[in-house]
Amino acid sequence: MKLSEEKVYRFSELANKVKASMIRELLKYANLPGAISFGGGTPDPETFPREELAQLAAEVIQKEYKYTLQYATTEGDPELVKQIIHLIKRVYDVDGVEPENVLITAGSQQALELIGKVLLDKDDYVIVGDPEYLGALGAFRMRDPRFLVVRFEDDGPDINQVESYLKKLDASGQIHRLKFLYLVSNFQNPSGITTSLEKRKALVELAEKYDFLIVEDDPYGALRFEGEMLPPLLKFGGTQRVILLNTFSKILCPGLRIGVVVADKTIIRKLVLVKQSTDLCGPALNMRLTARYLERYDILQQIKPAIELYRRKRDVMLDALKEYFGDVPGAKWTKPEGGLFVWVTLPEGYDTMEMFKFAEERKVFYIPGQAFRPFDEPSSSMRMSFCLPPFEKIVEGVRKLKEAFLAYKAYKGLR
Amino acid sequence: MKLSEEKVYRFSELANKVKASMIRELLKYANLPGAISFGGGTPDPETFPREELAQLAAEVIQKEYKYTLQYATTEGDPELVKQIIHLIKRVYDVDGVEPENVLITAGSQQALELIGKVLLDKDDYVIVGDPEYLGALGAFRMRDPRFLVVRFEDDGPDINQVESYLKKLDASGQIHRLKFLYLVSNFQNPSGITTSLEKRKALVELAEKYDFLIVEDDPYGALRFEGEMLPPLLKFGGTQRVILLNTFSKILCPGLRIGVVVADKTIIRKLVLVKQSTDLCGPALNMRLTARYLERYDILQQIKPAIELYRRKRDVMLDALKEYFGDVPGAKWTKPEGGLFVWVTLPEGYDTMEMFKFAEERKVFYIPGQAFRPFDEPSSSMRMSFCLPPFEKIVEGVRKLKEAFLAYKAYKGLR
């Protein structure tokens, strides 16, 4: 077979535009011995119920092989859909979800991509946050929309800014091109920020007034350490206004790739048709395994030790930040009530992308805020994930980060 | 939660264009008691190695949970890639495939969709067959290309017709808009036709002369009952000309959703970047399970009883067709040397879509040829899958089909 690197292919515009993941490049050395990584957002594998899943996997293959080893329907396993409807009722206190309101996807990422396909044409508008979840931006970008970027405040998106976009679009007759607002409502990735009750209500009201959809993504909601859970935007807007995304990646494990869309039946039908041409159907084995797990175990109980572990790790990180960065004027960080991330912001003038190499030299890794900015602008913030490093490494990592900060400060002559 | 069917959403052009699967609609009643279905192309679940997979699944979850339950890399499990490289060498006698030439996908369907994303812009040209695999047409259609449709002859695509398209495109300066020719090279779905050695070589020569790619899809090649396996087009064109797709759906089981792309490294890199925004990564569990299966068992040996089963079913179907349709002037059918499908063509003037309701009344099901025509035109052919019904049902089904044929003939006053 002839192999060559030289041939030039006539790729599509999409392929010519798509960029390598900055995160991946940055974290290339984050797994080397001695490195401390606050980079990845992956859950701790010790929290996965491996014994239970191992036994159940053998069981569902032996006893239900006609289902588990065969093609599934595009909508997903009806047994899993049933379990998900129970879970949604329990977690969100949302009633009235019917099987036709649910689609099982290959993780939330596929849900995001299918939503892009079903709702977005080139140059349509989408409201996103600053910072925003990278994967969502990547999925939507494949459809060539225009991003309207909204500042994230301590309690969620800046509503005034949202409203000002809406008024402008309305005035210019372009409001029908606004398809949806995207929001990670709890413990946002990357900022850890939870959108307040008031802002949830305000966003739904604006969606009704200006007739657009809200895509509410909630992968972390069940990982709450303290405080009260807020009702999802879905609760206020219903499926006519809100498409809710969820995933088992954070509360069970990512390796099964099980995501969930809850939406109006009309929207689900479109998503199903497009999913059919996208991957025919999801893996029956993984869906049935998850269904039987949910049937036999109380996932909200089983996840409690993991939540406790993450809570303690967050506390260790917040304490270490206070110890090492408490004396840095202008430095601040979020205090998330759940999830996996703390968002650390350095004083103005600092660029966490520039600072990265000073951290890398000290074998400590984070994700520069720039990676989460829709237009790739410099940022003085960084995402620090506390879920993977052991306790003592969290402290050591923050200490080293302070060293990196000081070295960078000196190098740049910053004050 | 408010639920309503009434709201009108502003969907994308893609969503407004996508159609419900005709096959699904047609086969709605194919699983009812008493029905005999030649419709589905799904393998017989009794051929799946369920005991081996059950044991291995438990094993890889217990022992390799840090991998199997976690996020995977977008390229796919390196252990599986290693096994696939061995398998490609064994099955195709193709050397020189490196890990960077391989991408694991969610079945071949995802491979087709990613190829569409990476190569096709609106109005680009793609050469496809008549008839053609539906899933490929569906995946490519999402990118809005123009299909150049080539008649399938008994030994593969009509090369003269291919060449005439190429000359026309060349003359009009549009040849650079031709991105690829798509071909199921062995036991094509739906026709069962295998493209001859001469035509394989001719297609690769044309691809070199006119500088386009060939997407060679080979889900059925390993299901050969008799005759000699032909070298893949990849063998002649190398990865510079040919993108090879394969899948474990037919030789292991579909429920794991494991597809494979073998292509030039430059193309694989683009596919990986696009896959990242499409679903982040495939299910680590399924990939590692397949890898360990391939390591421990000889899949080409394990599949032999299934091949023998399908061969016998094919023989029963061919015999039944001879018995019941041998006296129908102008009726003919393919004699596939492998795969899952026989393609039956009725005399001119018959429309298998119209005839469908006569068959349905007799509880026998097939897929009308129209479903496989790129421009949805009427067809006198139909796809008859022999893989699922038991032996005696195959005979009974063909007998009933003859009744349906006669009833339709009388109704239409055909001769």
Side-chain angles (χ1 to χ4, degrees):
Chain A
M1 191 171 69
K2 286 173 268 178
L3 289 170
S4 161
E5 293 296 292
E6 288 156 43
K7 180 151 170 48
V8 176
Y9 295 97
R10 298 191 301 278
F11 288 118
S12 65
E13 282 176 32
L14 191 164
N16 286 328
K17 211 178 50 187
V18 71
K19 287 184 306 182
S21 160
M22 186 197 289
I23 289 194
R24 202 163 148 165
E25 203 48 43
L26 291 172
L27 298 185
K28 224 186 322 191
Y29 305 110
N31 291 319
L32 293 184
I36 299 174
S37 178
F38 301 127
T42 60
D44 184 338
E46 302 304 328
T47 68
F48 305 151
R50 60 182 189 267
E51 292 303 329
E52 293 86 340
L53 288 174
Q55 194 203 322
L56 274 176
E59 239 180 86
V60 299
I61 293 177
Q62 268 162 334
K63 295 190 192 158
E64 305 188 70
Y65 68 95
K66 286 186 188 180
Y67 182 82
T68 54
L69 301 182
Q70 191 57 284
Y71 290 105
T73 52
T74 310
E75 291 85 347
D77 181 8
E79 293 289 309
L80 179 55
V81 168
K82 205 162 70 184
Q83 293 300 321
I84 283 169
I85 291 175
H86 290 159
L87 198 59
I88 286 169
K89 166 72 185 152
R90 268 186 80 192
V91 172
Y92 295 121
D93 191 32
V94 167
D95 286 304
V97 177
E98 297 176 30
E100 296 75 21
N101 294 114
V102 179
L103 172 66
I104 315 288
T105 56
S108 287
Q109 188 64 33
Q110 188 184 47
L112 294 165
E113 112 97 6
L114 294 177
I115 285 170
K117 276 186 179 147
V118 156
L119 290 173
L120 298 178
D121 288 314
K122 183 168 158 50
D123 291 335
D124 276 350
Y125 291 97
V126 178
I127 301 179
V128 296
D130 179 10
E132 189 55 275
Y133 171 53
L134 261 179
L137 296 173
F140 303 152
R141 268 195 199 109
M142 292 197 292
R143 305 289 302 164
D144 253 327
R146 285 179 282 198
F147 289 137
L148 300 172
V149 180
V150 173
R151 268 184 309 278
F152 246 65
E153 299 172 318
D154 290 345
D155 59 349
D158 178 343
I159 300 289
N160 293 329
Q161 206 184 353
V162 174
E163 202 162 4
S164 119
Y165 281 131
L166 296 173
K167 282 181 179 155
K168 266 185 221 155
L169 287 178
D170 202 23
S172 65
Q174 290 291 299
I175 192 77
H176 65 286
R177 300 294 304 267
L178 171 64
K179 296 303 182 71
F180 59 85
L181 174 146
Y182 173 77
L183 178 69
V184 180
S185 47
N186 293 308
F187 325 126
Q188 193 223 27
N189 176 2
S191 71
I193 287 169
T194 295
T195 297
S196 69
L197 188 64
E198 294 64 39
K199 288 197 167 176
R200 290 171 190 233
K201 288 180 180 167
L203 288 171
V204 170
E205 274 164 30
L206 289 173
E208 306 216 321
K209 181 169 171 191
Y210 291 94
D211 190 21
F212 60 91
L213 292 165
I214 294 175
V215 176
E216 178 177 23
D217 194 356
D218 188 22
Y220 311 105
L223 298 181
R224 178 173 276 280
F225 313 144
E226 63 208 12
E228 210 170 322
M229 184 174 168
L230 299 177
L233 283 80
L234 176 66
K235 183 97 180 168
F236 304 118
T239 51
Q240 287 207 312
R241 279 296 148 214
V242 179
I243 299 173
L244 177 72
L245 309 188
N246 218 310
T247 172
F248 287 92
S249 293
K250 307 302 188 292
I251 58 170
L252 184 57
C253 66
L256 299 175
R257 310 299 298 124
I258 304 285
V260 179
V261 185
V262 177
D264 192 88
K265 294 176 187 184
T266 312
I267 296 175
I268 293 289
R269 273 197 297 271
K270 288 290 184 192
L271 292 171
V272 167
L273 290 178
V274 166
K275 180 171 163 63
Q276 194 159 44
S277 291
T278 300
D279 71 353
L280 276 189
C281 64
L285 171 61
N286 309 236
M287 294 191 282
R288 186 54 56 90
L289 175 56
T290 306
R292 297 295 174 232
Y293 181 87
L294 292 173
E295 221 175 82
R296 192 162 314 171
Y297 303 99
D298 182 343
I299 198 171
L300 300 179
Q301 283 298 325
Q302 288 251 355
I303 192 72
K304 282 191 174 171
I307 293 175
E308 179 55 19
L309 174 73
Y310 293 145
R311 187 191 61 74
R312 289 172 54 213
K313 287 189 172 186
R314 176 208 57 177
D315 288 346
V316 169
M317 180 172 277
L318 291 180
D319 287 348
L321 284 167
K322 197 171 170 191
E323 182 175 346
Y324 293 105
F325 286 86
D327 63 345
V328 176
K332 57 179 186 171
W333 47 91
T334 56
K335 278 119 197 143
E337 295 187 325
L340 306 173
F341 310 111
V342 171
W343 184 244
V344 178
T345 301
L346 300 177
E348 237 176 277
Y350 286 76
D351 179 338
T352 51
M353 185 66 89
E354 277 185 359
M355 191 177 85
F356 189 82
K357 72 166 191 283
F358 295 85
E360 196 179 20
E361 280 165 16
R362 287 157 184 84
K363 294 188 177 177
V364 59
F365 295 85
Y366 59 83
I367 311 285
Q370 181 167 342
F372 306 99
R373 301 202 70 183
F375 296 118
D376 198 28
E377 292 146 304
S379 166
S380 61
S381 301
M382 55 190 157
R383 190 186 80 177
M384 305 259 297
S385 166
F386 47 79
C387 53
L388 269 179
F391 293 101
E392 68 283 4
K393 293 290 174 191
I394 293 178
V395 182
E396 189 187 330
V398 174
R399 187 178 55 72
K400 287 182 169 175
L401 192 65
K402 177 66 176 293
E403 288 175 24
F405 168 81
L406 292 173
Y408 170 61
K409 182 181 173 185
Y411 168 80
K412 290 280 284 185
L414 289 160
R415 17 177 329 201
Chain B
M1 191 171 69
K2 286 174 269 177
L3 289 168
S4 162
E5 293 295 294
E6 288 156 42
K7 179 151 169 49
V8 176
Y9 295 96
R10 298 190 303 278
F11 289 117
S12 66
E13 283 176 31
L14 192 164
N16 286 328
K17 210 178 51 187
V18 72
K19 287 185 308 184
S21 159
M22 185 197 289
I23 290 194
R24 203 164 147 163
E25 203 47 43
L26 291 172
L27 298 185
K28 223 188 319 194
Y29 304 111
N31 291 320
L32 292 184
I36 299 173
S37 179
F38 302 126
T42 58
D44 185 339
E46 301 304 328
T47 68
F48 304 150
R50 60 181 188 267
E51 291 304 329
E52 293 87 339
L53 288 173
Q55 195 203 321
L56 274 176
E59 240 180 85
V60 300
I61 293 177
Q62 268 163 336
K63 295 191 192 158
E64 304 187 70
Y65 67 96
K66 285 185 188 179
Y67 183 82
T68 55
L69 302 182
Q70 190 58 283
Y71 289 105
T73 52
T74 310
E75 291 84 347
D77 180 8
E79 293 288 310
L80 179 54
V81 168
K82 205 163 69 183
Q83 292 299 321
I84 284 170
I85 291 175
H86 290 161
L87 199 59
I88 286 170
K89 167 72 185 150
R90 267 185 82 191
V91 173
Y92 295 120
D93 190 32
V94 168
D95 287 305
V97 177
E98 297 178 29
E100 295 76 20
N101 294 114
V102 179
L103 171 66
I104 315 287
T105 56
S108 287
Q109 187 65 33
Q110 189 184 46
L112 293 165
E113 110 97 7
L114 294 176
I115 286 171
K117 275 185 179 147
V118 155
L119 290 173
L120 297 177
D121 286 316
K122 183 168 158 51
D123 291 335
D124 276 349
Y125 292 97
V126 178
I127 300 179
V128 296
D130 179 11
E132 189 54 276
Y133 171 53
L134 262 178
L137 296 173
F140 303 152
R141 267 194 199 110
M142 292 196 292
R143 304 290 301 164
D144 254 328
R146 285 180 282 198
F147 288 137
L148 300 172
V149 180
V150 172
R151 268 185 309 277
F152 245 65
E153 300 172 317
D154 290 345
D155 58 349
D158 178 343
I159 299 290
N160 293 330
Q161 207 184 353
V162 173
E163 203 163 3
S164 118
Y165 281 131
L166 296 172
K167 283 183 177 154
K168 266 185 221 155
L169 287 178
D170 201 24
S172 66
Q174 289 292 299
I175 192 77
H176 66 286
R177 300 293 306 266
L178 172 64
K179 296 301 182 73
F180 58 86
L181 175 145
Y182 173 76
L183 178 69
V184 180
S185 47
N186 293 308
F187 325 126
Q188 191 222 30
N189 176 1
S191 71
I193 287 170
T194 295
T195 297
S196 68
L197 187 66
E198 294 64 38
K199 288 196 167 177
R200 289 172 192 232
K201 288 181 180 167
L203 288 171
V204 170
E205 274 165 29
L206 289 173
E208 306 214 321
K209 181 169 172 193
Y210 290 93
D211 190 23
F212 60 91
L213 291 165
I214 294 175
V215 176
E216 178 177 23
D217 194 355
D218 188 23
Y220 310 105
L223 297 181
R224 178 174 276 281
F225 312 144
E226 62 209 12
E228 211 170 320
M229 185 174 166
L230 299 177
L233 283 79
L234 176 66
K235 184 96 180 170
F236 304 117
T239 52
Q240 286 205 313
R241 280 295 149 213
V242 180
I243 299 173
L244 177 72
L245 309 188
N246 217 309
T247 173
F248 287 92
S249 293
K250 306 302 188 292
I251 59 169
L252 183 58
C253 66
L256 299 175
R257 311 298 299 125
I258 304 286
V260 180
V261 185
V262 177
D264 193 87
K265 294 176 187 184
T266 311
I267 296 175
I268 293 289
R269 273 198 297 270
K270 288 291 183 191
L271 291 171
V272 167
L273 290 178
V274 167
K275 181 171 161 65
Q276 195 159 43
S277 289
T278 300
D279 72 352
L280 275 188
C281 64
L285 171 60
N286 308 236
M287 294 192 282
R288 185 56 56 91
L289 175 56
T290 306
R292 296 296 174 232
Y293 182 86
L294 293 173
E295 219 176 83
R296 192 162 313 171
Y297 302 99
D298 182 342
I299 198 171
L300 300 179
Q301 282 298 326
Q302 289 252 353
I303 192 71
K304 282 193 175 170
I307 294 175
E308 179 55 18
L309 175 73
Y310 293 145
R311 186 190 62 73
R312 289 173 54 214
K313 287 188 172 186
R314 176 208 58 177
D315 287 346
V316 168
M317 180 173 278
L318 291 180
D319 287 348
L321 284 167
K322 197 170 169 192
E323 181 176 348
Y324 293 104
F325 286 86
D327 62 345
V328 176
K332 59 180 185 168
W333 47 91
T334 56
K335 278 120 196 140
E337 293 186 328
L340 306 174
F341 310 110
V342 171
W343 184 244
V344 178
T345 301
L346 298 177
E348 237 176 275
Y350 285 77
D351 179 338
T352 51
M353 186 67 90
E354 276 186 358
M355 191 177 86
F356 188 82
K357 73 165 189 281
F358 294 86
E360 195 179 19
E361 279 166 16
R362 287 158 184 83
K363 293 187 175 176
V364 60
F365 295 84
Y366 59 83
I367 311 286
Q370 182 167 342
F372 305 100
R373 301 201 69 182
F375 295 118
D376 198 27
E377 292 148 305
S379 166
S380 62
S381 300
M382 54 191 158
R383 190 187 81 177
M384 306 259 296
S385 165
F386 48 78
C387 54
L388 267 179
F391 293 102
E392 68 284 4
K393 292 291 175 191
I394 294 178
V395 181
E396 190 188 329
V398 175
R399 186 178 56 71
K400 286 182 171 176
L401 192 65
K402 177 66 176 293
E403 289 174 22
F405 167 81
L406 292 174
Y408 170 60
K409 182 182 173 187
Y411 168 79
K412 289 281 282 186
L414 289 159
R415 14 176 333 200

